Amino acid sequence: MLLNLIPAPYRWVAMAIGVALIAAAGAAAASAFYQPRLELARQQAAEATRAYQALADAAQRQNAAVAQLQSEAEQREQQARQAVSQAQGQAQQWMAQAQAVQRETAPTSGGHAAACQAASAAFDAELKRERTTS
């Protein structure tokens, strides 16, 4: 064998150099094999980070828009409550006026009843004239 030609103390040095050369060649081969994969992984990690940041920004904008919509909805709801309250108050006033009109009694004697009948007859006559000329 070839190692038998090398003296013993140098044999150990030759084997150590051989192991070191094999380890260095293995490290270089591993580096050449894994370096492109590591670079691709770094690029993908950077893209994922950018995508995550974009999604986080979009979520923040969306949350702000939802909060604004909720605030506007609460304001509209408050305005609607006020409008309903005002409408109910006005309806009560109109109802009171209508009830007051219903409680009024029609004149039964005197010039008022005759005036009402004359106005009614005049209105009827005018209505008949309009219908016949049309």
Side-chain angles (χ1 to χ4, degrees), residues 2 7-8 16 21 26 34 40 47 69 72 76 85 91 108 113-114 127 129 131:
L2 186 62
L21 287 175
Y34 286 112
L40 178 63
E47 288 174 14
L69 287 174
E72 291 171 358
R76 285 191 303 271
S85 174
T108 54
L127 188 60
R129 193 169 10 108
R131 287 186 181 166

Side-chain angles (χ1 to χ4, degrees), residues 59-80:
Q60 282 181 332
R61 286 191 305 273
Q62 192 174 33
N63 288 340
V66 166
Q68 182 180 0
L69 287 174
Q70 286 175 337
S71 173
E72 291 171 358
E74 289 172 0
Q75 289 174 354
R76 285 191 303 271
E77 186 177 347
Q78 181 64 26
Q79 290 171 349

Side-chain angles (χ1 to χ4, degrees), residues 58-121:
Q60 282 181 332
R61 286 191 305 273
Q62 192 174 33
N63 288 340
V66 166
Q68 182 180 0
L69 287 174
Q70 286 175 337
S71 173
E72 291 171 358
E74 289 172 0
Q75 289 174 354
R76 285 191 303 271
E77 186 177 347
Q78 181 64 26
Q79 290 171 349
R81 282 192 200 121
Q82 289 174 352
V84 166
S85 174
Q86 289 174 352
Q88 286 175 340
Q90 195 172 27
Q92 287 175 351
Q93 290 175 352
W94 289 344
M95 183 63 83
Q97 289 175 355
Q99 289 173 351
V101 168
Q102 286 178 340
R103 284 191 297 267
E104 288 180 4
T105 57
T108 54
S109 63
H112 296 298
C116 285
Q117 288 175 351
S120 178

Side-chain angles (χ1 to χ4, degrees), residues 11-71:
R11 204 179 302 161
W12 290 105
V13 172
M15 287 194 317
I17 291 173
V19 168
L21 287 175
I22 291 173
S31 175
F33 181 77
Y34 286 112
Q35 190 63 34
R37 288 171 176 73
L38 287 173
E39 188 59 36
L40 178 63
R42 284 187 192 108
Q43 289 174 355
Q44 289 175 344
E47 288 174 14
T49 301
R50 285 191 299 272
Y52 172 79
Q53 190 61 42
L55 286 174
D57 292 343
Q60 282 181 332
R61 286 191 305 273
Q62 192 174 33
N63 288 340
V66 166
Q68 182 180 0
L69 287 174
Q70 286 175 337
S71 173

